Amino acid sequence: MPPHDADSSPLAGEQLTLAYDARQVTRGLDVRIPAGQVTVIIGPNACGKSTLLRALARLLKPQSGRVLLDGRDIRDQPTRQVARRLGLLPQSPVAPPGICVADLVARGRFPHQTLLRQWSGEDEHAVRQAMRQTGVEALAQQPVDALSGGQRQRVWLAMAIAQDTSLLLLDEPTTYLDIAHQYELLELCRTLNRTRGRTLVIVLHDLNQAARYADHIIAMKDGEIVASGPPREVITEALIDTVFGMRAMIVPDPVTATPMVIPIAAKPAGS
């Protein structure tokens, strides 16, 4: 685990009440993202994982409470300043019609552009490196809308990497990827954390992937944080029962020694 200040939190939520119109998703939620770590948010469908991530990324305005970026209310900070600090890979992003891969990835550099600083060699290097890291170099001139779902997902990740932010939020980034590319993407995320010092927040459904790649896990249910901490403390049989309504055994992963969830049976409905 990379060294960090236990009290350091570049991104936090205080008393967050989040809602879509009249439907309240969370109420009075407090969350802190540890600096220099990979944080994974887990929980059943419709528990508030993606809603929380959207609020942390300033895409959803809280009904009450606030999100703090570097100790200041994120909504009081200029948009370009936030975009230089925080990148986001949302669920199911939509590309402009007809745009090619290289041009989409290059959009990750927009926060670094000003009237006095246009496209530079630094921007070109960032884009090339991001495309190489995600394995989409050969697709550079292909239209994004002609790609497979898995290819598109890697292109969007390349754009987020090219943005070169110290905070990176990813909402279910393994969607549409086959099993090999899922682990390849998560290895890349861990490399960005370990070698570049980036703080990552990732929403995942796969508990064993979460346990293997997270330094810090946030477990949610019904809009509340049920538990948070290192995988070995959070991923327990009792938590799996409480959060997912499933009986399971927890054994050491034979490769990484991290917790591995072995499902036994789901609880009968209404039990």
Side-chain angles (χ1 to χ4, degrees), residues 240-241 244-248 262-269 271:
I240 301 304
D241 189 11
F244 295 95
M246 183 176 70
R247 294 173 54 226
I262 309 296
I264 298 174
K267 285 183 178 178
S271 65

Side-chain angles (χ1 to χ4, degrees), residues 42-43 205-212 217 235 240 244 246 259 261:
I42 61 172
H205 277 292
D206 189 301
L207 297 178
N208 292 325
Q209 290 178 346
R212 177 177 285 200
I217 287 182
I235 303 297
I240 301 304
F244 295 95
M246 183 176 70
V261 179

Side-chain angles (χ1 to χ4, degrees), residues 16-35:
L16 291 175
T17 296
L18 306 173
Y20 297 105
D21 297 323
R23 184 173 67 87
Q24 197 171 89
V25 180
T26 75
R27 183 178 180 86
L29 198 69
D30 289 317
V31 60
R32 301 184 70 80
I33 303 302

Side-chain angles (χ1 to χ4, degrees), residues 183 187 190 194 207-215 217 231 253-256 258-260:
Y183 279 91
E187 287 287 348
R190 182 156 62 182
R194 298 298 194 260
L207 297 178
N208 292 325
Q209 290 178 346
R212 177 177 285 200
Y213 289 99
D215 301 306
I217 287 182
D253 185 312
V255 176
T256 61
T258 51
M260 175 179 279

